[in-house]
Amino acid sequence: MEMQKTSNGNSKPLTVLGIESSCDDTAVGIIIRHPDGRCEIKANEIRMQFDRHAAYGGVVPEIAARSHVERIDLMIEGAVQRSGFSLSEIDLIAATGGPGLIGGVIVGLSAAKGLALSLGRPLVVVNHLEAHALSARMTEPVSFPFLLLLVSGGHSQLIEVERLGVYRRLGTTIDDAAGEAFDKTAKLLGLGQPGGPKIEALAQEGDPERFSFPMPLRLREGADFSFSGLKTAVRVEVEKLGSPSRTDIADIAAGFQKVVVAHLVAKTRAAMAMFEEGHQNRQLVVAGGVAANKSIGKGLKALAEEQCWSVFAPPLSLCTDNGAMVAWAGAEHAAAGQILALADALAFAPRARWPLAPPPEGKAQGGGKKGPKA
């Protein structure tokens, strides 16, 4: 496909509008990428849908897509107003093209295509996982290469980020993602959604030693994750209790979270060893909504200190799905001259599956689908 350069090149600030709609958050962000690589966030509007999915215990794809349709135009208008720019001053449009719930991806990408065509601006179609991977570079001095731990509602992966556009997967989940496990466990405990914050808050009241939940993949080498068995172990304990009290539920939440943290730390340690075989740049980036969990952050920080690594994470507002990170990923590609001709970008088909990185040699390629949160 033909590549085109932006008219700005790298000598002028680049103003980018980014659209994210891969799950249940409708998000639009506007950022400026300065020639020195600095990011300035001018707007980062996010509209969540927890109220629309609460009765179902998880995200319903059809409801999510309908909500995106209802909100996307207003979100774009709101972001533009907050930024202080007009649409005519936007240099570049970026949008998530996958992976994700296909109905939502279609809505956001279609809106971006319409904007790019009407304004005559370049369009960068962004891999949602890459947007998370690059998000820490918006606020932290992270250089290539680095090791990425991506933990979100739909993904749990350890990825070697060699440079922009060059990624190698060191580990992934073989079943549930970490965020999905939090949400499903919260549902088992009757806590409601979003599950991650609910469990984290209740775990502070509980005794993490009361229940002895199994460590996933304890005897398996490598950096893959598994959370399905842990979720089943929680269900078994809940059924044994019959009508668990608040104390019971708090203890289960604490025990569950303790094992999740230990599992993430153990597999990240394994990935660090794999990364060090080819690199001396010891940087760990933690991204995705689950990265906001303070216990996970504390465990990874301790690991980084133990291994003499630096650890970086975006601020909370940039950990969960947001439009600013999509805009930033588009700006990174634009600064590198990696932009498709508009006709090719307009022809891009939304993808439910779009793996960011190939697996290590000898491992089968996974799908990389971003699924429902429950």
Side-chain angles (χ1 to χ4, degrees):
M1 291 186 178
E2 181 185 352
M3 304 293 284
Q4 65 180 21
K5 297 271 187 178
T6 61
S7 59
N8 296 66
N10 292 328
S11 61
K12 293 174 59 180
L14 189 69
T15 304
V16 186
L17 184 150
I19 298 174
E20 159 59 26
S21 60
S22 64
C23 195
D24 60 329
D25 294 337
T26 310
V28 180
I30 296 177
I31 63 104
I32 299 175
R33 187 188 190 280
H34 293 276
D36 61 1
R38 227 172 5 99
C39 175
E40 185 178 353
I41 299 174
K42 306 301 291 186
N44 196 20
E45 304 294 297
I46 304 172
R47 184 70 181 273
M48 299 179 180
Q49 302 178 11
F50 294 130
D51 56 333
R52 299 195 176 191
H53 301 273
Y56 305 97
V59 176
V60 180
E62 293 80 4
I63 294 176
R66 192 179 312 128
S67 296
H68 289 310
V69 171
E70 294 171 359
R71 295 169 170 174
I72 191 69
D73 289 343
L74 292 174
M75 295 296 292
I76 293 171
E77 181 181 348
V80 171
Q81 290 180 351
R82 181 175 292 274
S83 73
F85 292 107
S86 65
L87 278 175
S88 63
E89 294 175 288
I90 301 297
D91 299 311
L92 177 74
I93 308 297
T96 297
L101 302 180
I102 192 63
V105 176
I106 289 172
V107 173
L109 186 55
S110 296
K113 288 179 177 180
L115 280 176
L117 191 59
S118 64
L119 296 172
R121 298 293 189 270
L123 170 65
V124 177
V125 182
V126 173
N127 184 307
H128 177 84
L129 306 183
E130 184 177 47
H132 277 302
L134 300 174
S135 61
R137 285 171 52 85
M138 299 170 69
T139 58
E140 301 287 348
V142 180
S143 59
F144 299 114
F146 59 85
L147 174 64
L148 169 71
L149 170 62
L150 174 60
V151 276
S152 68
H155 305 282
S156 292
Q157 296 186 351
L158 283 154
I159 295 173
E160 177 187 286
V161 180
E162 179 70 32
R163 60 183 183 276
L164 183 65
V166 180
Y167 310 99
R168 184 170 72 105
R169 196 179 71 206
L170 303 180
T172 189
T173 181
I174 63 175
D175 42 58
D176 292 347
E180 184 180 2
F182 269 104
D183 286 340
K184 289 183 175 180
T185 299
K187 184 177 179 180
L188 280 170
L189 298 178
L191 300 180
Q193 301 297 314
K198 300 273 189 183
I199 287 180
E200 182 179 10
L202 193 58
Q204 295 179 10
E205 304 175 18
D207 175 7
E209 306 300 330
R210 177 181 170 189
F211 295 95
S212 181
F213 294 123
M215 175 67 70
L217 305 182
R218 184 173 59 87
L219 301 178
R220 177 168 167 169
E221 295 183 358
D224 285 337
F225 302 104
S226 173
F227 297 97
S228 181
L230 176 58
K231 179 191 66 182
T232 300
V234 169
R235 178 176 56 78
V236 169
E237 291 298 336
V238 171
E239 290 174 350
K240 284 181 182 178
L241 291 168
S243 298
S245 65
R246 180 179 177 85
T247 299
D248 295 331
I249 294 173
D251 291 345
I252 290 173
F256 167 82
Q257 181 173 266
K258 174 189 172 185
V259 174
V260 170
V261 172
H263 184 41
L264 290 173
V265 167
K267 295 307 178 180
T268 301
R269 180 184 284 108
M272 284 176 165
M274 297 163 70
F275 184 90
E276 287 176 350
E277 292 178 3
H279 303 289
Q280 295 182 346
N281 202 16
R282 295 183 172 189
Q283 297 178 120
L284 172 66
V285 170
V286 187
V290 180
N293 182 291
K294 293 179 181 178
S295 293
I296 292 174
K298 183 178 179 181
L300 292 170
K301 183 178 180 180
L303 171 65
E305 291 176 353
E306 169 198 310
Q307 299 294 317
C308 298
W309 279 54
S310 299
V311 60
F312 302 98
L316 177 60
S317 62
L318 300 177
C319 282
T320 54
D321 293 352
N322 65 91
M325 73 176 189
V326 175
W328 175 253
E332 290 258 58
H333 280 282
Q338 300 175 3
I339 297 184
L340 293 176
L342 182 57
D344 290 327
L346 292 173
F348 185 96
R351 302 177 183 181
R353 295 177 180 272
W354 189 2
L356 178 62
E361 292 183 9
K363 296 186 69 173
Q365 175 69 55
K369 181 177 179 181
K370 179 178 182 177
K373 292 183 177 177

